[in-house]
Amino acid sequence: AQSVTQLDSQVPVFEEAPVELRCNYSSSVSVYLFWYVQYPNQGLQLLLKYLSGSTLVKGINGFEAEFNKSQTSFHLRKPSVHISDTAEYFCAVTVLYKLSFGAGTTVTVRA
Amino acid sequence: EAGVTQFPSHSVIEKGQTVTLRCDPISGHDNLYWYRRVMGKEIKFLLHFVKESKQDESGMPNNRFLAERTGGTYSTLKVQPAELEDSGVYFCASSHSRGSSGNTIYFGEGSWLTVV
């Protein structure tokens, strides 16, 4: 079985500062890794995904994530956040079409 | 192209009543999923359809929940009778079958259910 751990439940950050959201996964088989974002009062939107190839994945809105197989991690980063990045972020893994989500990290960007 | 659409967006019902949630997947997507998030907890898988067939319903919490996908198009999720602990947001999602399970799963905006 696979599982996902998001190490931070809340991340406050100032505007234009960098942010890193940590995600670790466990799985006995190869997985595909995803980051989704939920803006206030909206649904889930895909930020980026890792399937294979380059371990550095670039997504929408300036986000990127790095897959580290030895550390079983898939941390999400953005070098400079905006107020509009305030949202909840979910790391997820999929095996055989089923997504398993982490508990979510709420990012609050302050001016 | 229209995304995954869900109806209703919000619903408030009394304990013991019935609620039916509807999901229209992206056109051409054979895979349809239901997930839910209750009380700020993790988003949990409920079930997976491939066309009209239930591929995996291991996440359905009990027999008060019934999902259907007649004709392999839209899907409904019925909760009967609803209990207080069923409150939460129910997400529908879809993906196409071509390729691998790394295909992007697209989510709707959710149906927010409150049972009082």
Side-chain angles (χ1 to χ4, degrees):
Chain A
Q2 65 277 6
S3 67
V4 177
T5 302
Q6 291 184 242
L7 298 165
D8 308 291
S9 60
Q10 305 270 347
V11 174
V13 58
F14 286 106
E15 194 174 19
E16 298 184 6
V19 70
E20 178 181 79
L21 308 185
R22 297 178 294 167
C23 171
N24 287 93
Y25 69 93
S26 63
S27 176
S28 57
V29 298
S30 295
V31 297
Y32 300 117
L33 294 157
F34 301 78
W35 275 98
Y36 281 86
V37 60
Q38 185 178 19
Y39 297 105
N41 301 314
Q42 295 186 28
L44 291 167
Q45 180 180 357
L46 180 70
L47 271 179
L48 48 80
K49 63 180 179 181
Y50 173 78
L51 304 183
S52 64
S54 173
T55 57
L56 184 63
V57 180
K58 293 191 182 297
I60 63 171
N61 301 338
F63 284 93
E64 63 181 32
E66 185 157 18
F67 170 64
N68 188 318
K69 188 174 182 179
S70 63
Q71 297 186 5
T72 61
S73 67
F74 190 53
H75 300 335
L76 180 71
R77 301 185 184 95
K78 185 169 182 177
S80 177
V81 296
H82 302 291
I83 297 289
S84 59
D85 292 321
T86 293
E88 191 164 16
Y89 294 78
F90 297 93
C91 183
V93 301
T94 184
V95 175
L96 297 177
Y97 296 97
K98 185 161 66 177
L99 278 170
S100 293
F101 286 91
T105 298
T106 299
V107 173
T108 304
V109 182
R110 300 182 177 128
Chain B
E1 177 181 282
V4 177
T5 57
Q6 295 186 243
F7 182 83
S9 58
H10 292 80
S11 181
V12 180
I13 62 171
E14 293 183 351
K15 176 182 173 181
Q17 289 187 321
T18 298
V19 64
T20 300
L21 311 177
R22 172 173 169 141
C23 170
D24 287 81
I26 292 172
S27 178
H29 283 189
D30 290 336
N31 292 301
L32 186 148
Y33 314 82
W34 284 98
Y35 289 78
R36 76 170 180 174
R37 190 181 193 198
V38 297
M39 297 298 290
K41 295 185 178 177
E42 294 178 11
I43 302 169
K44 291 290 191 184
F45 167 85
L46 295 179
L47 88 160
H48 170 208
F49 284 99
V50 177
K51 297 184 180 179
E52 68 275 9
S53 300
K54 291 178 184 175
Q55 186 76 13
D56 180 352
E57 53 183 331
S58 60
M60 294 289 265
N62 52 61
N63 59 10
R64 295 186 294 103
F65 290 77
L66 175 64
E68 296 180 323
R69 192 183 182 194
T70 307
T73 55
Y74 71 91
S75 174
T76 58
L77 179 64
K78 180 188 290 187
V79 185
Q80 179 182 30
E83 299 289 345
L84 298 179
E85 64 264 25
D86 300 331
S87 296
V89 57
Y90 291 76
F91 291 107
C92 179
S94 71
S95 68
H96 65 69
S97 295
R98 299 182 300 277
S100 71
S101 59
N103 291 336
T104 298
I105 298 177
Y106 296 89
F107 283 79
E109 297 203 346
S111 288
W112 302 75
L113 173 65
T114 303
V115 182
V116 296

